[in-house]
Amino acid sequence: MFVCRFQSSRSEANQSSEMALRSDFPAGVVLALFVFISASFIPCEARVRRHFWPKQTLANGSAEELWFTQRLDHFNGADSRIWKQRYFVNDTFFRSDGPVFLMIGGEGPANPAWMQFGSWLTYAQKLGALCLMLEHRFYGKSHPTEDMSTLNLQYLSSLQALADLAHFRVVMADSHGLADRKWVAFGGSYPGSLAAWFRLKYPHLVHAAVATSAPVHAVVNFPEYLEVVHRSLAAESLDCPLLVQKASDTLLERLKDPKTYDNITKDFGLCEKLQIQSDKDSAYFLETLAGNFMDVVQYNQDNREFEGAIGTNITIQVLCGVMLDASLGQPYDRYAAVARLMLQTFSQKCLDASYANYLRDMRNTSWSSPASGGRQWVYQTCTEFGFYQSTDSPNQPFGGFPLPYHVQQCADIYDPSLTLDSITTAAQQTNERYGGYDIRTSRIVFPNGSIDPWHALGITRDLSDDLPAIFIQGTAHCANMYPAWDKDLPQLSLARDHVFLLLHKWLTQ
């Protein structure tokens, strides 16, 4: 899961690259995607190799797109419809006796950069693994249906995605002589949850899993996300979240007076004059501004530059530096300065804070929609997970976007029948299906970072000797998956080593 808020004023190219890299889709619903994460590529040496794949991958620095035939509905034998799913291969390190590593795609396009970079490739070199990456249905170029209508999105679910993985694993194993190899699933954020659930639901197909930053517990109201944001800001400076709260409170008061709207429009660089005609309008605006802090905290000081990620230089330290700078004016003025800094960082001329524009784009069902990626993921939150990062806790610095605002989006975008009761039932069913915090299986490791707000829904303590947790102090979302660099904390390096030792143990058992 990664955080990059959707704004309709961004160019389509910037939107798609950010969605692929940062995992936080529409500004109206902060999510965590996590797409895939990494460590440095190490050149291969002479070894025994078996070439199964057409037109060897990694030519000219990019992996070749390959396509796999899937069923549209794995749970209806009478439905014979099929489609093509995108995948990638790297057999650079593959030995005749090696395992197979499967990187699971998530709520964004599968980035072929992961076929060259990532801690999983370091493990692959040491263990002689074949590396595959399968893009998630309905994301990237993997289009099972002609459009993203709500009727078609019924085929978008974690259950269908797991069945895709199972069928892909069986066919690849049978057709390429890999049936006797041990398969290991990798994923970060939502794909991390899929990695754990793949091992849980298909233990005969996958031998072990690395479930990084995986929110395995579904919950509709998730105010703990912002509580972790508060603590992460406070770890930099105790005054930082207090100043953010003062700024947020001031803005909330000003939003009650239409006479302030012209100044607010100018202060925050809005694309059009602020119009507050309902609680949803103010909630969308307030969440968009809070997202500047949420996004930075989630990916603080990570090493995503290999993916082409923008804004990695904006850290918690930078944001708190702005909030602590009295020369910029009152806390409200500093909050506005943060918003303008983010606009500049992402080369945006202005901030689109219109809920109406957000709905217009999210209701667009074409694959070329500017909200493609966001429309699909929010649908999954409405029908499976919840995960709504509300301001319903007093122990966080923001205000103005409570749970009802998030829930209403499900009805506004997709179907009026999507209500708090239906979403609550869906989240309960997800936990019944997969076990939530009480997952019962073996050979899964759960790395999480203490700064990452998503760790609140993950496994941070060992469940058993064969279900260990690695809680990494001072690191953010999916940090152990990214390339190693000189800014890594010692505990992050140790965490990567710990994962390797577990894989080595489990693959030699």
Side-chain angles (χ1 to χ4, degrees):
M1 304 171 174
F2 339 140
V3 187
C4 83
R5 293 180 165 284
F6 162 74
Q7 294 293 344
S8 59
S9 59
R10 290 180 186 173
S11 70
E12 185 174 342
N14 284 343
Q15 288 161 8
S16 62
S17 65
E18 289 171 16
M19 286 183 188
L21 301 176
R22 299 183 61 190
S23 138
D24 138 13
F25 285 95
V29 180
V30 181
L31 4 124
L33 275 130
F34 135 118
V35 180
F36 326 107
I37 340 239
S38 71
S40 44
F41 175 80
I42 301 174
C44 55
E45 298 179 354
R47 66 210 161 281
V48 176
R49 299 177 64 192
R50 294 172 64 184
H51 296 275
F52 305 130
W53 317 102
K55 297 183 182 179
Q56 192 49 36
T57 61
L58 298 179
N60 300 321
S62 63
E64 182 191 2
E65 294 179 345
L66 302 172
W67 300 91
F68 181 81
T69 301
Q70 290 280 15
R71 298 180 65 92
L72 176 63
D73 187 353
H74 291 282
F75 307 105
N76 181 2
D79 190 338
S80 60
R81 288 174 293 176
I82 58 175
W83 60 283
K84 297 292 186 180
Q85 187 171 24
R86 187 167 65 147
Y87 72 100
F88 299 92
V89 179
N90 181 349
D91 68 356
T92 302
F93 307 118
F94 187 48
R95 296 196 303 258
S96 58
D97 60 345
V100 180
F101 288 176
L102 176 56
M103 180 67 80
I104 298 173
E107 66 279 35
N111 191 334
W114 284 97
M115 306 313 293
Q116 298 183 72
F117 301 97
S119 56
W120 76 308
L121 292 183
T122 303
Y123 307 147
Q125 184 194 32
K126 295 177 179 179
L127 297 169
L130 172 68
C131 294
L132 309 175
M133 179 168 68
L134 185 66
E135 188 169 67
H136 197 295
R137 60 168 53 204
F138 282 91
Y139 293 101
K141 296 183 179 181
S142 295
H143 301 167
T145 54
E146 64 180 2
D147 61 23
M148 297 184 292
S149 68
T150 302
L151 181 63
N152 284 333
L153 288 179
Q154 67 178 301
Y155 301 107
L156 170 59
S157 69
S158 60
L159 278 175
Q160 294 283 4
L162 291 172
D164 286 340
L165 291 165
H167 186 56
F168 179 80
R169 186 262 188 244
V170 168
V171 172
M172 285 294 168
D174 289 347
S175 59
H176 298 301
L178 301 171
D180 60 344
R181 307 303 170 81
K182 292 178 178 179
W183 288 62
V184 180
F186 289 81
S189 197
Y190 165 53
S193 300
L194 291 176
W197 298 336
F198 191 26
R199 167 67 186 149
L200 172 71
K201 292 298 185 180
Y202 296 91
H204 58 296
L205 298 181
V206 61
H207 183 74
V210 181
T212 296
S213 298
V216 295
H217 180 74
V219 61
V220 178
N221 200 5
F222 184 29
E224 293 85 357
Y225 186 103
L226 292 178
E227 293 179 352
V228 179
V229 171
H230 178 104
R231 294 195 296 269
S232 298
L233 295 174
E236 176 64 30
S237 166
L238 291 175
D239 288 334
C240 185
L242 299 179
L243 291 166
V244 171
Q245 184 168 357
K246 288 181 180 178
S248 180
D249 290 345
T250 299
L251 180 57
L252 274 167
E253 281 300 311
R254 295 188 183 185
L255 289 176
K256 296 176 182 178
D257 182 3
K259 295 178 182 178
T260 68
Y261 292 178
D262 283 338
N263 286 337
I264 292 173
T265 299
K266 180 180 178 181
D267 293 338
F268 291 94
L270 304 188
C271 296
E272 54 192 47
K273 182 179 177 179
L274 183 65
Q275 298 289 332
I276 302 297
Q277 299 175 341
S278 71
D279 290 342
K280 289 183 289 187
D281 293 325
S282 61
Y284 182 78
F285 177 47
L286 292 165
E287 190 197 16
T288 300
L289 297 178
N292 292 329
F293 290 81
M294 298 158 76
D295 298 354
V296 168
V297 168
Q298 181 166 314
Y299 287 100
N300 186 61
Q301 292 185 322
D302 65 12
N303 188 17
R304 291 178 291 117
E305 291 186 9
F306 78 96
E307 292 182 307
I310 303 170
T312 57
N313 60 313
I314 306 298
T315 64
I316 292 174
Q317 182 179 27
V318 170
L319 295 191
C320 286
V322 175
M323 293 306 302
L324 291 165
D325 188 351
S327 70
L328 295 173
Q330 296 300 311
Y332 166 90
D333 302 302
R334 305 172 207 177
Y335 199 58
V338 168
R340 294 193 300 270
L341 171 64
M342 300 307 286
L343 287 176
Q344 181 181 8
T345 299
F346 289 96
S347 301
Q348 289 181 254
K349 294 181 179 179
C350 58
L351 180 65
D352 188 344
S354 167
Y355 184 71
N357 290 348
Y358 166 69
L359 287 185
R360 177 200 63 206
D361 290 330
M362 289 291 285
R363 289 169 174 168
N364 187 331
T365 64
S366 71
W367 291 109
S368 60
S369 163
S372 182
R375 176 174 169 82
Q376 299 95 299
W377 175 246
V378 175
Y379 176 83
Q380 287 195 261
T381 70
C382 294
T383 56
E384 290 192 87
F385 306 123
F387 292 159
Y388 300 127
Q389 294 128 48
S390 77
T391 52
D392 292 349
S393 167
N395 303 315
Q396 53 82 33
F398 305 101
F401 43 103
L403 179 62
Y405 154 72
H406 296 279
V407 171
Q408 185 60 42
Q409 291 184 48
C410 296
D412 288 349
I413 298 170
Y414 307 104
D415 190 327
S417 67
L418 292 170
T419 63
L420 177 59
D421 286 345
S422 72
I423 301 169
T424 299
T425 298
Q428 291 172 344
Q429 291 174 338
T430 296
N431 291 329
E432 291 171 2
R433 184 175 296 121
Y434 301 125
Y437 293 124
D438 193 30
I439 189 169
R440 300 290 183 91
T441 180
S442 62
R443 293 193 294 272
I444 305 173
V445 57
F446 297 94
N448 277 280
S450 66
I451 292 178
D452 177 20
W454 289 96
H455 82 252
L457 298 181
I459 305 297
T460 57
R461 295 184 179 181
D462 293 355
L463 297 179
S464 68
D465 289 344
D466 258 358
L467 292 173
I470 303 176
F471 194 55
I472 315 166
Q473 291 293 336
T475 61
H477 197 57
C478 298
N480 58 288
M481 296 179 70
Y482 288 113
W485 63 340
D486 57 5
K487 296 181 182 180
D488 285 339
L489 296 172
Q491 55 267 32
L492 177 55
S493 299
L494 290 173
R496 290 192 184 103
D497 292 342
H498 191 175
V499 172
F500 170 74
L501 292 174
L502 288 168
L503 289 175
H504 183 269
K505 172 187 173 183
W506 291 337
L507 289 170
T508 55
Q509 284 180 341

